[in-house]
């Protein structure tokens, strides 16, 4: 199943923007949409004029026009960017991406053998469903979600970002626990150990775990109509899974 999306640079999510704390960042938005748009830098500390709120901090960027955002990447962590115009439609159509600021001093955060970024979103594909019917990790629904791979004993960080327009998700790991090491970009002083984290729209959690036992494990949303494609209960009854699922393959 393929669906039409509105994108940054032709992909959903848009490109991961990855910079280092203290970097000066300049991004030019060129609007090729049939309607106005802006970009909001979600969680970043930017000058007010760079905040991307149409009618409040800037005029909406009209079709064919462009606008340059410029700011300093002030504090390290996991953040995102997204449209702030006609949000339900533009974000719901794919206009979002992850924005990661690495610390200037790499020793200031723990080392992880693998670092994954996972943006949770949703699309309405079948017009008859009148609401979202395909939920996606990085723009793909299971079984098209690429697996996370690690060797036994390695450490994995997953940066979870919920850019779903309306839905909370309960991301659950089979076979192991994880620790919540950061919330909305900021390190958690005493990481909490859990196996299911509730993430609301606009929230980010960095979770980390050690690949303890070999096998193919599920990592999925536990709101179970988010693990179906096309809202198809009949197919789920026959064991077909979809939506917010990815596999974690741990090898010896
Ligand atoms: Cu969910």
């Amino acid at each position: 199943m393929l669906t039409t999306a509105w994108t940054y640079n032709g992909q959903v999510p848009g490109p991961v923007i990855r910079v280092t704390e203290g970097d000066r960042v300049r991004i030019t938005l060129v609007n090729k949409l049939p309607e106005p748009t802006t970009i909001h830098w979600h969680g970043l500390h930017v000058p007010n004029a760079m905040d991307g709120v149409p009618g409040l901090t800037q005029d909406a960027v009209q079709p064919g026009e462009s606008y340059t955002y410029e700011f300093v990447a002030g504090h390290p962590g996991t953040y995102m960017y997204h449209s702030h115009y006609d949000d339900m439609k533009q974000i719901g159509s794919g206009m979002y991406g992850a924005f990661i600021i690495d610390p200037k001093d790499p020793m200031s955060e723990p080392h992880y053998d693998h670092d994954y970024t996972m943006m949770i979103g949703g699309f309405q594909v079948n017009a008859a469903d009148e609401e979202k019917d395909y939920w996606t990790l990085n723009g793909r629904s299971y079984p098209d979600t690429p697996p996370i791979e690690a060797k036994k004993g390695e450490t994995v960080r997953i940066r979870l970002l919920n850019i779903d327009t309306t839905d909370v998700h309960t991301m659950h790991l089979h076979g192991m626990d994880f620790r919540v090491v950061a919330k909305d970009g900021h390190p958690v002083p005493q990481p909490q150990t859990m196996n299911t984290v509730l993430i609301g729209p606009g929230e980010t959690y960095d979770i980390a775990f050690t690949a303890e036992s070999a096998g193919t494990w599920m990592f999925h949303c536990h709101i179970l109509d988010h693990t179906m494609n096309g809202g198809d209960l009949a197919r789920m009854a026959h064991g077909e899974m979809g939506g917010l699922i990815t596999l974690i393959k741990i090898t010896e």
Side-chain angles (χ1 to χ4, degrees):
M1 172 67 74
L2 293 171
T3 190
T4 303
W6 282 10
T7 69
Y8 293 114
N9 292 11
Q11 63 182 77
V12 178
V16 174
I17 299 174
R18 190 154 195 165
V19 301
T20 301
E21 178 186 9
D23 282 356
R24 175 163 287 279
V25 180
R26 188 183 299 124
I27 294 161
T28 302
L29 164 67
V30 181
N31 185 5
K32 296 180 179 174
L33 299 176
E35 65 179 43
T37 193
T38 62
I39 301 178
H40 171 60
W41 312 97
H42 182 117
L44 273 67
H45 300 170
V46 300
N48 189 239
M50 297 290 110
D51 200 41
V53 183
L56 189 65
T57 65
Q58 68 171 100
D59 294 332
V61 182
Q62 299 298 315
E65 292 186 349
S66 60
Y67 190 88
T68 297
Y69 295 92
E70 188 167 342
F71 50 83
V72 172
H75 61 319
T78 302
Y79 308 106
M80 54 181 123
Y81 61 97
H82 59 76
S83 162
H84 213 296
Y85 187 95
D86 197 3
D87 316 30
M88 283 291 284
K89 178 179 180 183
Q90 293 193 4
I91 295 177
S93 298
M95 295 186 65
Y96 52 77
F99 197 117
I100 296 171
I101 305 177
D102 288 313
K104 200 165 201 164
D105 173 11
M107 303 301 283
S108 67
E109 67 172 16
H111 167 80
Y112 300 102
D113 297 312
H114 302 276
D115 189 9
Y116 287 92
T117 298
M118 203 175 275
M119 289 199 90
I120 307 170
F123 291 85
Q124 184 200 333
V125 175
N126 300 310
D129 281 351
E130 290 181 343
E131 55 184 22
K132 273 171 287 181
D133 50 9
Y134 279 77
W135 280 268
T136 56
L137 298 173
N138 293 339
R140 291 164 177 261
S141 302
Y142 185 82
D144 279 346
T145 50
I148 286 175
E149 296 182 22
K151 288 198 168 64
K152 197 172 165 182
E154 288 184 327
T155 53
V156 180
R157 168 168 54 188
I158 304 175
R159 303 169 186 265
L160 290 172
L161 306 98
N162 186 359
I163 190 59
D164 202 321
T165 48
T166 54
D167 288 320
V168 300
H169 300 290
T170 52
M171 298 306 293
H172 170 62
L173 177 61
H174 283 210
M176 283 158 283
D177 290 318
F178 54 76
R179 286 165 294 121
V180 169
V181 295
K183 165 83 175 83
D184 296 340
H186 297 278
V188 174
Q190 290 182 307
Q192 191 180 343
T193 300
M194 52 177 85
N195 59 52
T196 308
V197 63
L198 171 67
I199 180 168
E203 290 187 310
T204 77
Y205 284 97
D206 293 6
I207 65 171
F209 64 92
T210 302
E212 281 166 5
S213 50
T216 301
W217 301 99
M218 282 182 77
F219 181 56
H220 68 96
C221 180
H222 221 291
I223 297 171
L224 297 176
D225 60 348
H226 298 172
T227 57
M228 302 186 299
N229 288 331
D232 193 340
L233 279 165
R235 282 194 300 181
M236 199 185 191
H238 289 94
E240 254 186 63
M241 301 181 291
L244 298 183
I245 298 173
T246 197
L247 300 180
I248 298 186
K249 295 186 174 176
I250 301 176
T251 50
E252 292 285 351

